[in-house]
Amino acid sequence: LAVKDPTAVERANLLNMAKLSIKGLIESALSFGRTLDSDYPPLQQFFVVMEHCLKHGLKVRKSFLSYNKTIWGPLELVEKLYPEAEEIAASVRDLPGLKTPLGRARAWLRLALMQKKMADYLRCLIIQRDLLSEFYEYHALMMEEEGAVIVGLLVGLNVIDANLCVKGEDLDSQVGVIDFSMYLKSDDDIGGKERNVQIAAILDQKNYVEELNRQLNSTVSSLHARVDSLEKSNTKLIEELAIAKNNIIKLQEENHQLRSENTLILMKTQHHLEATKVDVEAELQTYKHSRQGLDEMYNEARRQLREESQLRQDMENELVVQVSMKHEIELAMKLLEKDIHEKQDTLIGLRQQLDEVKAINMEMYQKLQVSEDAMKEKNEIIGRLEDKTNQINAAMKQLEQRLQQAEKAQMEAEDEDEKLKQEYVNKSESLQKEFSQKEKQLLQLETDLKIEKEWRQTLEDDLQKEKETVSHLRIETQEIINLKKEFLKLQEKNKQLKRICQDQEAALQELASKLSESKLKIEDIKEANKALQGQVWLKDKEATHCKLCEKEFSLSKRKHHCRNCGEIFCNACSDNELPLPSSPKPVRVCDSCHAILIQRCSSNVP
């Protein structure tokens, strides 16, 4: 036999239990009156079944204290996917009696049922399988087709009206146990199948009407939005049409005016052409002779202009390169200044540490001197105590000798009187008391000596530690000296870079002066070209006589125009000629401003 997958069996069992609980809840609610309270047993069993369905295949999450396995994580994710669920999540978080995530999840399920949107919320959650994979295993009920079936079954709960009090209910400590006795068949259930079929048909019609109403509301809202946008676009088109009509009227008026002006200009040009044809034929011969020299001058000036423009382009490229080099040098200078400031800050900090170390060294040196003085005093005290112990030992020896002598005397004086014997006994008792006192003093001196030795050992340890700190401080001072040397080297490099920067700035200034001179030359050439191109000639009707000899112009007395002052001379008066290196023939010069004269061939052409 083929072995069934235990997870598939669990999913099938949970799906069947969900079907039974939802069916039993709808049937009992319709018979009970549709409005349900939180104490209604089928409703409680429905929430228990939903909790088991949501817990199936849930991943175990690690926390600080223990492993956590709760359904609040995926339910909390709904508010990000479905904006209308934010109100439920906020109200669940604000409930004062809930302390555990499981209690919040139970409150969330109850609020979603009261809103009649549990199916919508869970449908949004099931669609996002990639997000659910963070909370559920791949074989969980919510990740398989059974989850979609349960969501479809939850749509039928929209016919139920639930009035649940979540605030005062203890949802944290409830035990979710499924009561199977509610779903066992009885004789009454078998007899009421026809009634259940009618109720199911009515519920299907109600769900269809609600879904149709929801779709119609969405289409109406979209049509309203389209109508508003069409009205706005219509008003804009009407305004644009009025503006376009006004523009057409203005353009028609301008067209009539331009046509009338065009006819007048044509009449004038025809008369003018007839008058100028005679002059053109006469001046054409003179123009052919003078044009050759002018073309050569123009070519020479054009070549010089190209050379100057090429030189200017080269100078601009060099200027761009120098500017980029200057920016790079400025950046390098800023970085060097930043490094120097940071090293200065470190030097200041190291100097402060050195001062603190010096102060600590002075304090430790003073303490060391004080401890050495104390050691000397204690050594003197120990020497005195040793002398005292020697004296006590000598006294003890003397006392022993005396005791021996006394014993001998006692043996010899046994025959003496009892009075002398009694005196001797009294003397021996006093000596024993003194001996006991001396022993006590010796024990006290030995304890003092041990204490002094321990204190001396601690002082030697402190002295060793101070020596180690002094060695560390010497190493740090050596490092500070090395840093000072590096700082001096960096200062020298900074000075060298400043010198290089100053040299480059001087070179840039020289280049700028040369560029300014070349720009001035180019501007002079441009002004000369403009003077050649922008002259306005007098009409032939106005220029009828020479300015110098005041004789009338004719074929023998041709007209010559000064391009600088605008005067017109005849060829007899403008006899001053000047040789130019750019032209093979000498040119005529104005008598008043000494500028080059240009011979006129027609009324409007130089």
Side-chain angles (χ1 to χ4, degrees), residues 416-432:
E416 291 181 356
D417 290 327
E418 291 180 357
K419 291 181 180 180
L420 292 172
K421 191 176 182 178
Q422 188 69 32
E423 289 177 0
Y424 180 72
V425 169
N426 293 328
K427 284 181 181 180
S428 64
E429 287 178 356
S430 61
L431 286 171
Q432 284 179 356

Side-chain angles (χ1 to χ4, degrees), residues 83 97 110 124 181 214 253 271 281 349 353 375 396 405 409-410 485 570:
R110 283 157 175 77
C124 291
S181 62
R214 192 179 297 172
E253 292 176 354
H271 292 295
E281 290 176 356
Q353 290 179 2
M375 285 290 293
M396 287 290 291
Q405 290 174 3
Q410 187 180 3
K485 290 178 180 178
C570 62

